[in-house]
Amino acid sequence: MAFLQFTADDSGDSDQPITLHRRITSLGAGERSDVRLTGAGVADEHATITCEGPHFTLRPTGSGAKVRINGKKVRRKAILEHGDQIELGDQTLEFSHLREPADPGTQISEDDVRRIEGLRQLHRLSVQLHADTALDELLDQIIDSTIELTDAAKGFLLLADDEGWDIRVARHVDVRALDDDEQMLSDSVLNHVLTEREPLVVADARNHAQFREAKSVINLQLCSVMCVPLLDGDQLLGAIYVGNNKVTDLFDELDLELLSIFAAKLSLLLSNAILLNNLRTDCNRLQQKLNERRFGSIVGSSEAMEPVFHAVRRVAPTDVTVLITGETGTGKELVAAELHHRSGRSDGPFVTINCGAIPENLLESELFGHVKGAFTGADAKKDGKFHVADGGTIFLDEIGEMPLQLQVKLLRVLQERSVSRVGSTDHEPVDIRVLAATNRQLTQRVEEGEFREDLYYRLNVVEIALPPLRERGEDVVLLAQYMLEKLADDLALKPRDLSRSALQAIRRYDWPGNVRQLENRIKKALVLATGSTIGPDDLDLPTDVLPDIKPLAEAKEEYALQYVLEVLERNGGNRSQTARDLDVDPRTVFRYLEKAES
């Protein structure tokens, strides 16, 4: 237990010692001080005594507050020992600590205490920064902890970018924001640290050989300054700058050592925080694009999809039969569903059947139903898909796989709008709209005798051709983001962000399996990825889909060469016509030809 005892009779009741039972005890003339002092020269907030494990530490807090221990001036802080005489202005107190005197050989030095305090502060901040906190809040925590660690009067956290640096946080010791923050720090000191990428401490800037002539130092009347860079490997993230315009020799080499250690740890945490912040920004931007670039349930707005959307708008309100074509996995069923939802049948059923997934001997019954006893196992009358779709829409997926004998029966349904069950000769009228889809070239199937020509023309009243995913540009990124959120929700998994390299790989990959392949890769990555973000490896995307980044001039030249050759081919090799079309001198065309041949 520790006590303070007044030593002057006119300063208080000297017979009653003051117990230091708080972790931090404030001393001063102000009403909020824990220990009220009335002596001359005592500031409202003069000093604090902090319990730090087995030690008590005294810190001056008031502006220009004079503090001495046993006659020696205290600049920043000091560890109190039993019997110390504390002078605060004209007020004197005696410090008493009821413990066994420490062996002088085992006493911890003030520098060691400062190191321990710095590591403790770093640990506390690391715990805070590892939480899922917004970047701006993290930056506030960093600078507040830095001011506390260094006993600075003001602190700044700056982040670097391609255009220079930007002050993200400017804070005073009393945890208030600083106005005109750019006018409150020395750009000469800061520029030196950012350029040299080395920490710097200046005990008295006004008398420093290198900085005393700097305009910012003169204008600000700078005294103590300390600045350290924030580095993540070779990448400059920014800097931490602390200072005091009134006290010289506030910082020393030990302070710089502690702040540098502090900054090294912070750089790693800050780099991760910036990365996550950028990913969240990218995801928010993609989400906004996703909301803006949707056509009903269809995600995307690329130029390649515009003819599809136009056809759906025009055809959906009618009852015409539509044939939807495209590679496997391009989303033919989504287009069929959109045609149904935009039609006058939207309140009716939407029935889907995959003609290639059902065995031939069962497909007829699935489509048209059967009567009891029609075949072995037909124990009761059953409705087919055409009966179920009555009043709505039936979607025949993979129509190109339908057997020839069933094609005849389907043709009759399309002509007569009536269905005959297996085992019956009765015809039952149905009110349906038929949509069909295939990834086959039906004209080729017709030529091969595998598909009826008359059925083909009955189905192909209007054809909607879906482009492959590789031709849909930025839609692939929007689809990936949409699937990432939807599948994470469906699988009850924590959503993850796509890394920038993953987004680049997604853009570059050809996606032969189209949307279905992308969906399967996203699902696998959500289940198996172990990192906080999903990278190209998690999506099984080869790294060679990412081309090397080239200088802009080189990239322009390569594109120009490719374009000249393309126009030349369109002109049948006519160089003069090519030069006229490109509005260039013929010698330019010759130069590109020579380059192509070299």
mmCIF file of all heavy atoms in Angstrom, residues 259-275:
data_model
loop_
_atom_site.group_PDB
_atom_site.id
_atom_site.type_symbol
_atom_site.label_atom_id
_atom_site.label_comp_id
_atom_site.label_asym_id
_atom_site.label_seq_id
_atom_site.Cartn_x
_atom_site.Cartn_y
_atom_site.Cartn_z
ATOM 1 N N LEU A 259 8.820 2.960 -30.324
ATOM 2 C CA LEU A 259 7.846 3.313 -31.356
ATOM 3 C C LEU A 259 8.125 2.537 -32.650
ATOM 4 O O LEU A 259 7.202 2.166 -33.374
ATOM 5 C CB LEU A 259 7.873 4.820 -31.621
ATOM 6 C CG LEU A 259 6.764 5.346 -32.547
ATOM 7 C CD1 LEU A 259 5.390 4.988 -32.008
ATOM 8 C CD2 LEU A 259 6.886 6.853 -32.737
ATOM 9 N N SER A 260 9.393 2.279 -32.945
ATOM 10 C CA SER A 260 9.735 1.507 -34.144
ATOM 11 C C SER A 260 9.246 0.062 -34.015
ATOM 12 O O SER A 260 8.731 -0.517 -34.978
ATOM 13 C CB SER A 260 11.247 1.541 -34.380
ATOM 14 O OG SER A 260 11.693 2.860 -34.640
ATOM 15 N N ILE A 261 9.429 -0.531 -32.821
ATOM 16 C CA ILE A 261 8.905 -1.880 -32.584
ATOM 17 C C ILE A 261 7.386 -1.872 -32.706
ATOM 18 O O ILE A 261 6.778 -2.753 -33.325
ATOM 19 C CB ILE A 261 9.334 -2.388 -31.198
ATOM 20 C CG1 ILE A 261 10.859 -2.533 -31.126
ATOM 21 C CG2 ILE A 261 8.648 -3.707 -30.857
ATOM 22 C CD1 ILE A 261 11.380 -2.840 -29.739
ATOM 23 N N PHE A 262 6.801 -0.851 -32.107
ATOM 24 C CA PHE A 262 5.357 -0.658 -32.159
ATOM 25 C C PHE A 262 4.888 -0.579 -33.612
ATOM 26 O O PHE A 262 3.934 -1.235 -34.025
ATOM 27 C CB PHE A 262 5.041 0.636 -31.406
ATOM 28 C CG PHE A 262 3.595 0.819 -31.041
ATOM 29 C CD1 PHE A 262 2.940 -0.091 -30.250
ATOM 30 C CD2 PHE A 262 2.903 1.932 -31.475
ATOM 31 C CE1 PHE A 262 1.613 0.087 -29.889
ATOM 32 C CE2 PHE A 262 1.580 2.138 -31.121
ATOM 33 C CZ PHE A 262 0.937 1.204 -30.324
ATOM 34 N N ALA A 263 5.586 0.213 -34.426
ATOM 35 C CA ALA A 263 5.207 0.425 -35.825
ATOM 36 C C ALA A 263 5.388 -0.838 -36.658
ATOM 37 O O ALA A 263 4.615 -1.096 -37.584
ATOM 38 C CB ALA A 263 6.022 1.570 -36.418
ATOM 39 N N ALA A 264 6.409 -1.639 -36.361
ATOM 40 C CA ALA A 264 6.642 -2.869 -37.128
ATOM 41 C C ALA A 264 5.474 -3.830 -36.978
ATOM 42 O O ALA A 264 5.019 -4.434 -37.962
ATOM 43 C CB ALA A 264 7.940 -3.530 -36.664
ATOM 44 N N LYS A 265 4.987 -3.974 -35.756
ATOM 45 C CA LYS A 265 3.827 -4.836 -35.522
ATOM 46 C C LYS A 265 2.581 -4.224 -36.148
ATOM 47 O O LYS A 265 1.777 -4.921 -36.785
ATOM 48 C CB LYS A 265 3.638 -5.039 -34.017
ATOM 49 C CG LYS A 265 2.420 -5.868 -33.651
ATOM 50 C CD LYS A 265 2.534 -7.295 -34.113
ATOM 51 C CE LYS A 265 1.377 -8.146 -33.585
ATOM 52 N NZ LYS A 265 1.427 -9.533 -34.093
ATOM 53 N N LEU A 266 2.430 -2.943 -35.998
ATOM 54 C CA LEU A 266 1.247 -2.270 -36.541
ATOM 55 C C LEU A 266 1.200 -2.372 -38.056
ATOM 56 O O LEU A 266 0.116 -2.454 -38.646
ATOM 57 C CB LEU A 266 1.249 -0.790 -36.136
ATOM 58 C CG LEU A 266 0.971 -0.475 -34.673
ATOM 59 C CD1 LEU A 266 1.031 1.015 -34.444
ATOM 60 C CD2 LEU A 266 -0.383 -1.016 -34.263
ATOM 61 N N SER A 267 2.361 -2.341 -38.701
ATOM 62 C CA SER A 267 2.390 -2.380 -40.168
ATOM 63 C C SER A 267 1.737 -3.646 -40.685
ATOM 64 O O SER A 267 0.977 -3.608 -41.662
ATOM 65 C CB SER A 267 3.838 -2.281 -40.665
ATOM 66 O OG SER A 267 4.393 -1.026 -40.342
ATOM 67 N N LEU A 268 2.035 -4.772 -40.043
ATOM 68 C CA LEU A 268 1.437 -6.035 -40.469
ATOM 69 C C LEU A 268 -0.072 -6.016 -40.254
ATOM 70 O O LEU A 268 -0.851 -6.381 -41.144
ATOM 71 C CB LEU A 268 2.068 -7.193 -39.697
ATOM 72 C CG LEU A 268 1.504 -8.585 -39.987
ATOM 73 C CD1 LEU A 268 1.665 -8.938 -41.457
ATOM 74 C CD2 LEU A 268 2.168 -9.627 -39.098
ATOM 75 N N LEU A 269 -0.485 -5.563 -39.068
ATOM 76 C CA LEU A 269 -1.912 -5.504 -38.779
ATOM 77 C C LEU A 269 -2.616 -4.507 -39.691
ATOM 78 O O LEU A 269 -3.714 -4.760 -40.187
ATOM 79 C CB LEU A 269 -2.131 -5.120 -37.308
ATOM 80 C CG LEU A 269 -1.550 -6.087 -36.274
ATOM 81 C CD1 LEU A 269 -1.701 -5.508 -34.869
ATOM 82 C CD2 LEU A 269 -2.231 -7.436 -36.359
ATOM 83 N N LEU A 270 -1.970 -3.373 -39.920
ATOM 84 C CA LEU A 270 -2.571 -2.339 -40.745
ATOM 85 C C LEU A 270 -2.665 -2.792 -42.197
ATOM 86 O O LEU A 270 -3.649 -2.512 -42.891
ATOM 87 C CB LEU A 270 -1.745 -1.054 -40.646
ATOM 88 C CG LEU A 270 -2.305 0.182 -41.348
ATOM 89 C CD1 LEU A 270 -3.690 0.517 -40.816
ATOM 90 C CD2 LEU A 270 -1.375 1.363 -41.161
ATOM 91 N N SER A 271 -1.630 -3.502 -42.670
ATOM 92 C CA SER A 271 -1.665 -4.008 -44.041
ATOM 93 C C SER A 271 -2.850 -4.934 -44.248
ATOM 94 O O SER A 271 -3.566 -4.846 -45.252
ATOM 95 C CB SER A 271 -0.360 -4.742 -44.358
ATOM 96 O OG SER A 271 -0.391 -5.287 -45.659
ATOM 97 N N ASN A 272 -3.075 -5.821 -43.285
ATOM 98 C CA ASN A 272 -4.232 -6.721 -43.373
ATOM 99 C C ASN A 272 -5.542 -5.954 -43.314
ATOM 100 O O ASN A 272 -6.493 -6.265 -44.030
ATOM 101 C CB ASN A 272 -4.179 -7.759 -42.243
ATOM 102 C CG ASN A 272 -3.043 -8.740 -42.418
ATOM 103 O OD1 ASN A 272 -2.576 -8.969 -43.530
ATOM 104 N ND2 ASN A 272 -2.584 -9.314 -41.324
ATOM 105 N N ALA A 273 -5.578 -4.934 -42.440
ATOM 106 C CA ALA A 273 -6.806 -4.141 -42.315
ATOM 107 C C ALA A 273 -7.100 -3.385 -43.601
ATOM 108 O O ALA A 273 -8.248 -3.298 -44.040
ATOM 109 C CB ALA A 273 -6.675 -3.171 -41.141
ATOM 110 N N ILE A 274 -6.048 -2.819 -44.226
ATOM 111 C CA ILE A 274 -6.235 -2.099 -45.490
ATOM 112 C C ILE A 274 -6.698 -3.059 -46.577
ATOM 113 O O ILE A 274 -7.592 -2.735 -47.379
ATOM 114 C CB ILE A 274 -4.928 -1.386 -45.893
ATOM 115 C CG1 ILE A 274 -4.612 -0.254 -44.919
ATOM 116 C CG2 ILE A 274 -5.022 -0.842 -47.315
ATOM 117 C CD1 ILE A 274 -3.258 0.397 -45.150
ATOM 118 N N LEU A 275 -6.094 -4.259 -46.617
ATOM 119 C CA LEU A 275 -6.490 -5.257 -47.611
ATOM 120 C C LEU A 275 -7.957 -5.624 -47.444
ATOM 121 O O LEU A 275 -8.721 -5.650 -48.422
ATOM 122 C CB LEU A 275 -5.607 -6.500 -47.466
ATOM 123 C CG LEU A 275 -5.970 -7.691 -48.367
ATOM 124 C CD1 LEU A 275 -5.867 -7.299 -49.831
ATOM 125 C CD2 LEU A 275 -5.092 -8.879 -48.064
#
